């Protein structure tokens, strides 16, 4: 039972990684930008969610507000930061992205203080469900539900809607897709919007899970997200999801069996190194 | 339909084609022939809006479209089946066609799709299949079908027969003839000179970016050695 619980906890972590990493891989697939500043969207989502939850007492309102705020910030970052430098080499956008992350992190510190805030009432955190000797709290269960629902919605969008098909065509061949009337700029904004809503919702969920929202909370998960999209095979969506879940599980077991040797956050990068030694193209990436 | 006047195109400082006058009428297949590197593909891509027009004018239905974006040209009725086909390999056949008809209303797209299916029944069989898994000939049909979904008046086709099995080449050429009979203007760039000559109503030959020969298909067919000489094939034979 203990192992099953470790597995479940790992899967839950994997779900939060998946919500972050999907957005990163979307942006990379479309623009070849490593969107490190996604972390700041995640953190903004967490703060907005916390403020709304503490003022209204409604978590539903908190998620909606966080999704909207994050969904606005992501496309704004694209418009103001990335779009003007798209014709520069990719590392320019990466440096700009890291700059945005650092500036926003210090912005959060100035506005909300350096120590972090907690939810006034976090019943999800304090309520545990027990079944068959397993124990999970409500936050963990909601993380799993939210990830599955949001990823399914995304899959439906990508395969069942006109805009989704146009979006995939643009990833594949932007010039040809555009010549048939697809708005490439629209597709880019949409990708940032989707990525950011996912990140914002994930931010609130991770805030609830730790019952803490602090300025630097996005950094580690964002860097792990980058490791995950490399693991998955850059730009490969199924690979990214698989890598997210695997990493969550490896970390979950690692914190028990490797805790004398290395920190939890180091495990992700050890895992990255090991996998890349065996499969340099990533888990599901095509060999070139 | 389409008229190039003193047309020049190229990439930055490199001019590939210069002083080209060419008319592409409706209901005719116009073949643009010539050796590798003559500027045929660049001309086609410039007409579609993907390569810079560096001089002269491109007139379509009497209007100057020289500076229009590719999508605007598609809306006006110019569609491209590009070199290397460039279908979307991870999308299904149905999805590729959807993108081709992106400028059309749902009703118009359904109607056009039915016509594409009648022209290429093979695409119907492969409808839900990933385009990347199709054979070369099927991919070429899909590239043509995708272009037709935009309901063009002018169809630009680059290297119809490249890398295809002879039976497929035949199928694709027959489709072009059928489209021309329906009134479409077709501008075809082809390395397979003899097959293109057989289908063409008009022939122009480019060598090193200049037009060196122009005739009706009939004249050119009676005079194949003349074309061959421009293509540098005579010395080889």
């Amino acid at each position: 039972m203990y192992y099953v619980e470790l597995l479940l906890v790992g899967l839950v972590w994997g779900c939060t990684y998946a919500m972050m990493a999907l957005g990163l891989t979307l942006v990379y697939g479309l623009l070849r930008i490593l969107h490190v500043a996604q972390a700041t969207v995640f953190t903004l989502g967490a703060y907005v969610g916390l403020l709304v939850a503490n003022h209204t007492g409604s978590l539903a309102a908190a998620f909606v507000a966080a999704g909207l705020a994050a969904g606005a910030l992501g496309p704004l970052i694209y418009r103001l930061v990335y779009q003007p430098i798209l014709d520069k080499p990719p590392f320019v956008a990466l440096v700009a992205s890291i700059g945005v992350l650092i500036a926003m992190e210090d912005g959060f510190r100035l506005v909300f203080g350096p120590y972090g805030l907690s939810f006034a009432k976090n019943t999800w955190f304090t309520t545990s469900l027990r079944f068959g000797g397993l124990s999970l709290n409500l936050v963990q269960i909601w993380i799993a539900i939210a990830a599955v629902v949001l990823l399914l919605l995304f899959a439906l969008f990508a395969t069942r809607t006109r805009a989704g098909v146009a979006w995939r065509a643009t990833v594949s061949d932007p010039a040809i897709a555009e010549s048939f009337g697809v708005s490439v700029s629209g597709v880019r904004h949409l990708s940032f919007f989707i990525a950011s809503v996912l990140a914002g919702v994930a931010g609130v969920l991770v805030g609830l899970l730790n019952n803490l929202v602090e300025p630097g909370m996005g950094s580690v998960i964002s860097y792990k997200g980058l490791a995950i999209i490399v693991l998955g095979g850059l730009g490969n969506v199924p690979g990214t999801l698989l890598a997210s879940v695997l990493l969550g599980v490896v970390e979950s077991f690692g914190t028990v069996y490797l805790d004398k040797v290395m920190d939890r956050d180091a495990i992700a990068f050890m895992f990255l190194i090991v996998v890349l030694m065996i499969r340099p193209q990533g888990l599901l990436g095509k060999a070139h | 339909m389409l008229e190039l006047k003193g047309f020049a195109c190229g990439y930055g400082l490199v001019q590939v084609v210069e002083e080209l006058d060419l008319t592409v009428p409706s209901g005719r297949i116009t073949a643009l022939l010539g050796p590798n590197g003559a500027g045929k593909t660049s001309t086609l891509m410039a007409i579609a809006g993907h390569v810079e027009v560096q001089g002269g004018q491109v007139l379509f239905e009497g209007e100057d479209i020289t500076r229009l974006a590719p999508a605007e040209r598609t809306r006006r009725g110019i569609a491209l089946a590009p070199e290397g086909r460039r279908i979307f390999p991870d999308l299904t056949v149905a999805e590729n066609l959807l993108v081709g008809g992106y400028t059309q209303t749902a009703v118009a797209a359904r109607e056009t799709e039915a016509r594409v299916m009648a022209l290429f029944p093979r695409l119907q069989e492969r409808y839900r299949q990933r385009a990347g898994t199709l054979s070369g000939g099927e991919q070429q049909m899909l590239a043509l079908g995708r272009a037709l979904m935009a309901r063009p008046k002018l169809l630009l086709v680059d290297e119809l027969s490249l890398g295809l099995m002879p039976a497929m080449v035949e199928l694709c050429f027959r489709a072009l003839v059928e489209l021309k009979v329906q009134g479409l203007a077709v501008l075809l760039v082809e390395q397979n000179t003899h097959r293109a000559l057989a289908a063409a109503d008009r022939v122009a030959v480019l060598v090193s970016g200049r037009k060196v020969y122009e005739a009706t298909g009939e004249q050119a067919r009676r005079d194949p050695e003349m074309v061959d000489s421009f293509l540098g094939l005579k010395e080889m034979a």
Side-chain angles (χ1 to χ4, degrees):
Chain A
M1 271 309 126
Y2 176 60
Y3 298 107
V4 178
E5 195 167 315
L6 273 182
L7 178 69
L8 288 178
V9 170
L11 290 176
V12 166
W13 274 110
C15 287
T16 64
Y17 296 157
M19 280 189 271
M20 276 303 271
L22 178 69
L24 292 173
T25 214
L26 289 184
V27 169
Y28 185 84
L30 201 57
L31 294 168
R32 298 288 179 265
I33 290 174
L34 290 173
H35 179 36
V36 181
Q38 170 97 324
T40 207
V41 178
F42 171 89
T43 309
L44 178 82
Y47 271 111
V48 169
L50 178 126
L51 292 177
V52 171
N54 285 356
H55 274 94
T56 66
S58 159
L59 273 181
F63 278 107
V64 172
L68 289 178
L73 178 61
L76 199 68
I77 292 175
Y78 165 67
R79 190 60 163 272
L80 298 180
V81 181
Y82 296 140
Q83 201 181 36
I85 52 174
L86 280 181
D87 54 344
K88 304 276 189 297
F91 69 84
V92 177
L94 177 61
V95 172
S97 192
I98 295 171
V100 170
L101 177 63
I102 294 171
M104 290 289 289
E105 191 172 316
D106 281 317
F108 290 131
R109 210 162 267 136
L110 287 173
V111 176
F112 300 110
Y115 300 114
L117 306 171
S118 289
F119 285 85
K121 188 163 108 339
N122 191 345
T123 47
W124 286 6
F125 183 66
T126 49
T127 312
S128 287
L129 289 187
R130 279 164 215 290
F131 43 93
L134 300 172
S135 167
L136 285 176
N137 72 35
L138 270 181
V139 182
Q140 290 171 310
I141 289 165
W142 275 109
I143 285 175
I145 293 172
V148 170
V149 169
L150 290 174
L151 296 180
L152 278 179
L153 280 177
F154 172 74
L156 284 177
F157 159 76
T159 56
R160 299 268 182 265
T161 69
R162 251 171 85 82
V165 172
W167 169 74
R168 280 160 52 222
T170 306
V171 173
S172 166
D173 192 331
I176 292 292
E178 184 160 40
S179 76
F180 282 107
V182 177
S183 160
V184 168
S185 166
V187 164
R188 288 173 179 166
H189 283 94
L190 184 66
S191 293
F192 274 91
F193 177 77
I194 293 172
S196 304
V197 169
L198 285 169
V201 171
V204 184
L205 288 167
V206 170
L208 286 166
L209 186 64
N210 299 328
N211 201 24
L212 179 73
V213 173
E214 43 105 12
M217 69 184 281
S219 301
V220 171
I221 195 169
S222 181
Y223 291 126
K224 275 187 202 168
L226 294 180
I228 287 167
I229 67 173
V230 176
L231 275 174
L234 283 162
N236 183 320
V237 172
T240 300
L241 300 183
L242 177 68
S244 303
V245 171
L246 272 183
L247 178 63
V249 173
V250 168
E251 277 189 7
S252 177
F253 283 90
T255 45
V256 176
Y257 295 104
L258 297 174
D259 65 327
K260 299 279 193 306
V261 194
M262 67 175 90
D263 177 73
R264 169 192 187 110
D265 295 327
I267 293 171
F269 297 97
M270 280 308 295
F271 184 52
L272 174 71
I273 292 166
V274 171
V275 171
L276 289 186
M277 281 166 67
I278 306 166
R279 278 188 71 83
Q281 71 273 38
L283 291 170
L284 296 185
K286 297 185 188 90
H288 289 293
Chain B
M1 176 64 36
L2 179 81
E3 210 180 333
L4 306 183
K5 280 186 181 168
F7 167 94
C9 70
Y11 309 85
L13 293 174
V14 186
Q15 203 170 71
V16 181
V17 174
E18 44 189 23
E19 287 301 320
L20 176 61
D21 294 308
L22 188 71
T23 307
V24 182
S26 295
R28 298 278 182 275
I29 294 177
T30 305
L32 190 56
L33 308 175
N36 248 333
K40 306 181 304 280
T41 292
S42 302
T43 302
L44 213 61
M45 292 302 271
I47 295 168
H50 296 288
V51 165
E52 191 190 345
V53 178
Q54 297 183 325
Q57 276 185 313
V58 182
L59 299 175
F60 184 64
E61 297 186 302
E63 284 181 60
D64 188 344
I65 60 160
T66 315
R67 305 269 158 242
L68 291 184
E72 184 50 39
R73 297 177 199 225
T74 305
R75 276 186 204 100
R76 292 190 180 211
I78 300 178
L80 169 72
E83 185 179 21
R85 306 186 272 269
R86 290 174 73 174
I87 50 155
F88 308 115
D90 292 329
L91 273 59
T92 64
V93 168
E95 289 169 338
N96 270 274
L97 295 177
L98 185 154
V99 175
Y102 210 70
T103 51
Q104 305 295 312
T105 64
V107 179
R110 250 199 311 280
E111 203 183 291
T112 316
E113 195 181 276
R115 289 220 299 269
V116 170
M117 293 305 169
L119 192 63
F120 299 118
R122 191 68 75 88
L123 293 181
Q124 184 76 63
E125 291 166 34
R126 302 275 183 259
Y127 197 63
R128 295 275 163 221
Q129 207 167 311
R130 268 187 62 235
T133 65
L134 301 184
S135 74
E138 290 164 348
Q139 292 190 8
Q140 186 60 274
M141 292 178 194
L142 181 57
L144 290 171
R146 182 180 64 181
L148 291 173
M149 286 300 292
R151 293 196 153 189
K153 300 167 191 154
L154 167 64
L155 180 63
L156 307 171
V157 183
D158 199 349
E159 297 298 358
L160 187 70
S161 67
L162 195 69
L164 302 193
M165 301 193 342
M168 284 295 177
V169 174
E170 236 10 78
L171 259 172
C172 287
F173 265 103
R174 244 179 268 153
L176 283 196
V177 172
E178 200 170 323
L179 291 167
K180 139 198 138 166
V181 171
Q182 289 170 18
L184 215 67
V186 178
L187 179 56
L188 171 69
V189 160
E190 211 17 287
Q191 299 270 358
N192 184 348
T193 311
H194 292 285
R195 192 59 194 86
L197 260 180
D201 302 297
R202 299 196 57 78
V203 176
V205 177
L206 279 187
V207 175
S208 308
R210 288 185 168 275
K211 186 173 75 181
V212 296
Y213 181 82
E214 190 174 18
T216 65
E218 235 163 286
Q219 285 171 325
R221 276 190 290 275
R222 261 188 270 125
D223 190 16
E225 280 181 32
M226 184 164 189
V227 179
D228 280 356
S229 70
F230 290 122
L231 300 187
L233 296 175
K234 204 177 178 185
E235 289 86 329
M236 285 165 54

